[in-house]
Amino acid sequence: MKSVTVYHYDAFSKEPNKGNPAGVVLHGGALTDAEMQEVASKVGFNETAFPIESNVADLRIRFFTPGHEMNLCGHATMATIYAMKDKGLLEDKSTFTIETNAGILPITINASTDGEISMTMKQASPIFRQFTGSKENLTNAIGLKETDLHTDLPILYGSTGTWTLLIPIKHLKAFQKMRPNNKLFPEILIDMPASSVHPFCLETYDSNADMHARHFSSPYSGTIEDAVTGTASGVMGAYYATYITNDVIEPLNLIVEQGHEIGKDGRVAVLVSKDSDSFDIAITGKAVYIKEMQVMLGF
């Protein structure tokens, strides 16, 4: 029987119990794949992260939902980097690279004049794919009607490391009505059955924000909703640059708000820069320590 220490951090917020909770297991290389999955399942957060040594970057991070491993997770990256900085495991480095299953990505730690830190993470190049399923069935699966869709904008699968289905919604008031039936997603997402679902709109609670969103998990993840999502916010930035402001010359600085409907409101800063035929995407966020937990394996 083995005891594993899991550090709980909330990402994309500096206020405890807001933002998105993530588990971080420092020195994750001491665990097997099966043990990492068991820890993530017992912790129950949308993601638990395991930093380990890398042969090709400064650090490797593996991400597990309660149901399976993920290629990349924005909020768990923020939590991991903050935790390692907090525990003195990053020396004095402010820039370094992380190896993920989505590729090698640069990280920058930013310190304000008052000592508060944030983390900036570059994401993989954005990719979009068409949604060919039923719009009526899709909206019904999240508790809405097809008339709630923003008809001038496309529904698309998007990825900057993790696939999600981006669903433009006309009005903010619709987000309070959403009731996801995640089990229905695979039969509707015929092009990409394991994708998560990410409705968003251009109306916001915060006048400083550019977009509002919710994020409903793939049923294979073992969770229902992700409070504040870094990877989905990143690809939303690319979507915004491509389909909403399609003449990007200067970099776009966007703020995505998420989590209000479940009492976990947080913010993700998204930087979108033109890169020849595509975009460079980077997200910035903060984190806050909550508590330490012990997880017993093997029973």
Side-chain angles (χ1 to χ4, degrees):
M1 192 177 299
K2 180 186 294 187
S3 177
V4 177
T5 301
V6 181
Y7 296 94
H8 170 189
Y9 286 81
D10 286 345
F12 298 125
S13 175
K14 283 303 294 182
E15 184 179 345
N17 302 312
K18 298 290 186 180
N20 203 351
V24 179
V25 177
L26 301 174
H27 312 293
L31 301 177
T32 66
D33 290 9
E35 287 172 334
M36 292 182 193
Q37 185 63 72
E38 184 179 351
V39 169
S41 299
K42 288 183 174 177
V43 169
F45 292 152
N46 282 285
E47 271 89 12
T48 297
F50 301 84
I52 61 178
E53 292 184 358
S54 171
N55 294 322
V56 294
D58 295 301
L59 173 72
R60 183 183 179 194
I61 307 177
R62 298 182 66 182
F63 308 96
F64 286 80
T65 74
H68 58 80
E69 186 171 7
M70 296 284 286
N71 288 336
L72 182 66
C73 175
H75 84 274
T77 299
M78 299 293 162
T80 301
I81 299 306
Y82 189 89
M84 296 186 72
K85 180 73 173 176
D86 196 29
K87 302 295 183 184
L89 299 177
L90 291 177
E91 301 173 343
D92 293 325
K93 282 189 175 183
S94 59
T95 59
F96 50 94
T97 55
I98 60 168
E99 177 190 356
T100 74
N101 290 348
I104 298 172
L105 305 174
I107 298 285
T108 302
I109 297 177
N110 320 289
S112 65
T113 54
D114 60 2
E116 189 171 272
I117 70 168
S118 63
M119 290 71 63
T120 297
M121 166 190 179
K122 187 175 179 182
Q123 298 187 336
S125 296
I127 309 169
F128 295 106
R129 292 184 184 171
Q130 293 295 320
F131 168 73
T132 65
S134 163
K135 293 181 180 179
E136 181 182 8
N137 291 343
L138 175 63
T139 49
N140 287 346
I142 59 174
L144 298 183
K145 303 293 186 185
E146 193 172 345
T147 52
D148 290 308
L149 294 173
H150 194 307
T151 53
D152 295 334
L153 295 172
I155 300 172
L156 293 173
Y157 298 96
S159 173
T160 50
T162 301
W163 286 101
T164 193
L165 182 67
L166 298 165
I167 309 172
I169 303 296
K170 277 191 291 193
H171 298 300
L172 184 62
K173 62 184 180 182
F175 286 75
Q176 295 285 352
K177 300 187 297 183
M178 292 178 182
R179 300 292 184 271
N181 187 341
N182 306 57
K183 292 180 180 179
L184 296 178
F185 292 170
E187 64 188 56
I188 298 166
L189 309 183
I190 54 176
D191 319 277
M192 209 168 289
S195 175
S196 56
V197 167
H198 196 77
F200 72 94
C201 75
L202 302 179
E203 294 180 357
T204 58
Y205 290 104
D206 181 350
S207 60
N208 293 319
D210 298 283
M211 291 178 280
H212 179 81
R214 292 183 74 174
H215 188 88
F216 303 127
S217 309
S218 160
Y220 307 115
S221 297
T223 60
I224 301 298
E225 180 166 1
D226 216 334
V228 190
T229 44
T231 50
S233 294
V235 80
M236 279 174 63
Y239 182 105
Y240 190 100
T242 305
Y243 298 99
I244 298 168
T245 304
N246 56 8
D247 187 22
V248 176
I249 300 173
E250 299 297 324
L252 283 176
N253 287 284
L254 304 171
I255 299 294
V256 177
E257 63 173 29
Q258 194 183 327
H260 296 66
E261 293 81 11
I262 56 174
K264 292 284 188 180
D265 49 303
R267 301 287 185 280
V268 183
V270 183
L271 176 64
V272 185
S273 305
K274 188 69 176 173
D275 176 24
S276 61
D277 296 329
S278 185
F279 294 101
D280 283 333
I281 305 295
I283 61 169
T284 297
K286 300 177 180 179
V288 58
Y289 170 73
I290 304 300
K291 63 181 180 181
E292 180 180 317
M293 303 176 287
Q294 296 298 319
V295 173
M296 301 303 296
L297 301 182
F299 73 98

